[in-house]
Amino acid sequence: MPALANKIYFNYGGQGPLPTASLQAMVASWRRIQELGPFAETVFPYVEELVTSLRQALAALCGVPPQRLAFTENVTSGCVLPLWGLPWRAGDQLLIGDGEHPGVVATCHEIARRESLDVGTLPVRDCATAEQVLERLEEALQPRTRLVVLSHLLWTTGLAVPIPAVGQRLGQHANRPWLVVDGAQSAGSVPLEDAVAAADLYAFTGHKWLCGPEGLGAMALSRRLLDTGAPTMIGWRGLAEDPEHPLRLHGDARRYEIATSCYPLAAGLLQSLHSLAALGDPRQRLALIRSRSGHLWRGLRQLEGVETLLPEPPPAGLVSFRIQGHRSRQVVHTLAERGLVLRSFEPPDCVRACCHVTTLPTESGRLVSGIASLGTKSRSV
Amino acid sequence: MPALANKIYFNYGGQGPLPTASLQAMVASWRRIQELGPFAETVFPYVEELVTSLRQALAALCGVPPQRLAFTENVTSGCVLPLWGLPWRAGDQLLIGDGEHPGVVATCHEIARRESLDVGTLPVRDCATAEQVLERLEEALQPRTRLVVLSHLLWTTGLAVPIPAVGQRLGQHANRPWLVVDGAQSAGSVPLEDAVAAADLYAFTGHKWLCGPEGLGAMALSRRLLDTGAPTMIGWRGLAEDPEHPLRLHGDARRYEIATSCYPLAAGLLQSLHSLAALGDPRQRLALIRSRSGHLWRGLRQLEGVETLLPEPPPAGLVSFRIQGHRSRQVVHTLAERGLVLRSFEPPDCVRACCHVTTLPTESGRLVSGIASLGTKSRSV
């Protein structure tokens, strides 16, 4: 992967490196489309097969039938587009985790403004365990709660939110609130089936931990969301192509797809999925990721003045930490000059390092030395 | 252009052929992103410059400042996304041309359903002149009309809708209805400035007449739409990155952009714009397109049993026609087998051939012969 050749890369959670084979697959797809079409009887079956193959692959990853999977351009669109078509009642409460992405939060506030809903905050950013998340949920739920929005893995601290347990709790609520899950950090790093089964809407992108191209994601929709919601953006991809009823929607999740997207990206993401599969199934890959992130987490814990945000080895690839007396933003900048690529957050003020299956123990070692050289020192053992 | 090497291509209005240089520009952009980033301090200025360059180029094409241009994934999204955030009042009427794309029509019906609006149809599909369109508009406008949706060039018949005159008429209406223009067939074939200046929302895509990659379009927004409307899908690209107010939107059209898109496509579209510019400015290219389509139109008019939908040579590149005793769908299929790539419509039942600057007179000649061989014959002159 060219992105990994000239730097030590810890930003898989921002964007994953694109394997050369995936770029080649996209170029081959564009060439094929041009050769066949680009808009011709001969090209449509090719594009259909490409899109169907990817839909099947991503649906399998989610453990749902392909009929419940729709493509999106990015994870934000996936998280919020279907919410606009749900049957809201004035006074309903949207309960949003305080570790959610600003785009998702902002759209929920706009839905609340237009539909006269309330927005509540579920404080999970400082939770260190799954049990704490469930306690906080218990305290925050209200009789009028109608939607809960949480990430599967918090992009800030890397905490694994116990989505199946959250789903179970919401199932006992008289209102049966919808559960929307942002899978930006989980798809490609942890197995998804159990969380997807608990969620009404599980959105993710191909360009982070799945190492696909930017601009292509997907969402898995529950049967009840498909039955109850109405699409808000409608285009030819969502229409059933019924000459008698030109505005009839597809009966399945395709009704949430809009119009022309960049299809060669599907060839790139398919190739990235193949490349990942060659390294093991999702459970085997998670074990590898955890051994990488655990190695880094332990290294960091040995430095005096360094505090990891999670008290236990990370459940997946995200390792967030603070360095006493150092501003996280400045740490990231200084490390970047040494070829170590990380990111900072604020709030919570921290540095985040992502470890994927491609992260080498020597790279984690280089990061720990880099941080040590900032003026921290090893704890006396 | 590889797409033109092995067929005679008349479907620019469906998707334009991608120049090899544009594919190369995308590959180079992906390689650069991987080399710099893909998510790193060094890559952000590169992506920002790429996106800014394209924004400036497309804004110049529209004759608006870059602050009024937002990117979209496709033309349907551009046409309808901002409509969701307009201040509707129950009972307002949406007046939609009967030659509009089903996706745009379906979304308008859904807006009408949720906001208790009325949908009216403006019959323009059988208009042969701009004057007729204005007469029909006069008949269809009602006191409660609040939005008019029309294409700049009708994708079915190829008629040029007199958008500046429509805009002027709506300016005299007590309600000052919003004017939404679908520029799917116009961007890249006719100069846009006058129509954009008259419209509140002018949406187009890069993958048709501009010969860019699929999956990247844009919309130009009027000052009043920017002032009055509220974004419906909000993501990090629409947010102003203000640490004090994390949900504050950009003041300009970027507030309508959502989240991560495929940035290398911008490099491809920029290259396609350069390739087109090398053939002349938009007015010179339109003259070339009209000479191509006029040549085909005249050739078809000489065949007995062939009826062109427009009684005058086409205003741009779309040449639609019917063949007596032949089903349009079958005609397209038969011609495809001979390497002539066209499309059919229903309704109105017709065949559409698109002529671009790249269409050769010999290719139009081959199409006319192909149609003649279906059993039509030359009219006696």
Side-chain angles (χ1 to χ4, degrees), chain A residues 3 6-7 9 11 18 30 34-35 37-39 41 73-74 84 103 107 114 214 230-232 234 260-262 333, chain B residues 3 6-7 9 11 18 30 34-35 37 39 41 73-74 84 103 107 114 214 230-232 234 260-262 333:
Chain A
N6 60 348
K7 63 186 87 65
Y9 193 69
N11 271 344
L18 185 73
W30 253 304
Q34 295 300 309
E35 188 192 318
F39 190 97
E41 287 183 6
E73 192 181 15
N74 45 58
W84 282 101
T107 305
R114 292 198 210 163
E214 52 276 67
T232 294
I234 305 169
T260 302
S261 296
C262 185
H333 183 68
Chain B
N6 60 349
K7 62 186 89 63
Y9 194 69
N11 270 345
L18 185 73
W30 253 304
Q34 295 301 310
E35 187 191 320
F39 190 97
E41 287 184 6
E73 192 180 15
N74 45 58
W84 282 101
T107 305
R114 292 197 211 163
E214 53 277 67
T232 295
I234 305 170
T260 303
S261 295
C262 184
H333 184 67

Side-chain angles (χ1 to χ4, degrees), chain B residues 254-375:
Chain B
R254 286 176 298 170
R255 53 173 50 197
Y256 284 95
E257 295 172 9
I258 307 168
T260 303
S261 295
C262 184
Y263 306 111
L265 303 186
L269 181 50
L270 264 175
Q271 177 56 49
S272 293
L273 293 174
H274 291 316
S275 300
L276 283 173
L279 300 173
D281 67 28
R283 277 165 184 79
Q284 292 168 323
R285 296 202 308 264
L286 177 59
L288 206 53
I289 289 172
R290 291 185 67 164
S291 99
R292 303 316 195 203
S293 62
H295 180 257
L296 175 60
W297 181 87
R298 283 186 296 276
L300 291 169
R301 301 271 289 190
Q302 280 171 9
L303 297 180
E304 209 159 317
V306 174
E307 176 203 1
T308 59
L309 268 62
L310 295 182
E312 302 285 332
L318 302 172
V319 185
S320 293
F321 56 97
R322 291 190 192 96
I323 309 176
Q324 223 172 40
H326 291 263
R327 295 196 55 184
S328 297
R329 201 187 177 94
Q330 186 57 43
V331 168
V332 166
H333 184 67
T334 305
L335 293 173
E337 288 175 340
R338 301 181 192 176
L340 294 153
V341 183
L342 297 86
R343 75 166 288 178
S344 62
F345 279 97
E346 187 183 350
D349 179 58
C350 65
V351 178
R352 185 187 78 181
C354 304
C355 298
H356 208 335
V357 290
T358 39
T359 305
L360 304 175
T362 50
E363 294 180 317
S364 303
R366 285 275 298 278
L367 177 54
V368 172
S369 325
I371 288 165
S373 75
L374 296 177

